[in-house]
Amino acid sequence: MDVNERIKAVLAEHPIVLFMKGTPEFPMCGFSSRAAQALKEANATFHAVNVLADPEIRAALPHYANWPTFPQLFIQGELIGGCDIVEDLKASGELVRMALDVAGESHA
Ligand SMILES: N[C@@H](CCC(=O)N[C@@H](CS)C(=O)NCC(=O)O)C(=O)O
């Protein structure tokens, strides 16, 4: 499986994916740490990919997503953005709504 197929497979398998440096438990970059924290605070169930442990994905994802930096958040296979956008979505309440949508829960 080539690297783009591996990226697609991860996105197909997990509705919310954070490509980050390090892990949510041991983030290796402040931006990645902040994005993971915002997702946790939004009660989002997410899959994290440590790009430092996968140099192939680290090199390919910026081209795949047309987004130059990490972290990168994808929901339902679509790029949402990096740390700044994730924090903005958290602050507005939108991230909670998106996580509930993915979980199929009502939030009327
Ligand atoms: N403003 C960006 C900050 C992210 C950023 O600048 N990340 C850097 C440092 S971790 C990066 O990914 N550089 C390219 C690389 O290391 O491959 C965001 O909102 O995510």
Side-chain angles (χ1 to χ4, degrees):
M1 206 189 280
D2 80 10
V3 63
N4 285 325
E5 287 172 346
R6 288 206 294 124
I7 292 168
K8 280 183 197 158
V10 170
L11 295 176
E13 188 175 350
H14 304 281
I16 305 182
V17 181
L18 184 68
F19 293 91
M20 65 181 289
K21 292 184 178 179
T23 65
E25 295 74 25
F26 296 103
M28 300 296 285
C29 166
F31 299 115
S32 287
S33 175
R34 283 162 47 195
Q37 187 60 32
L39 284 164
K40 285 185 205 168
E41 287 172 8
N43 288 322
T45 301
F46 64 101
H47 176 74
V49 175
N50 178 4
V51 299
L52 297 180
D54 195 328
E56 216 182 28
I57 287 188
R58 181 180 180 182
L61 193 66
H63 304 287
Y64 178 95
N66 198 22
W67 188 269
T69 55
F70 296 96
Q72 295 189 21
L73 176 68
F74 287 76
I75 297 184
Q76 312 279 35
E78 277 186 33
L79 176 70
I80 302 300
C83 168
D84 295 343
I85 288 174
V86 174
E87 287 193 327
D88 284 353
L89 289 170
K90 168 66 179 55
S92 70
E94 189 71 1
L95 194 59
V96 173
R97 192 191 64 72
M98 292 163 107
L100 287 172
D101 273 355
V102 165
E105 290 175 29
S106 165
H107 48 86

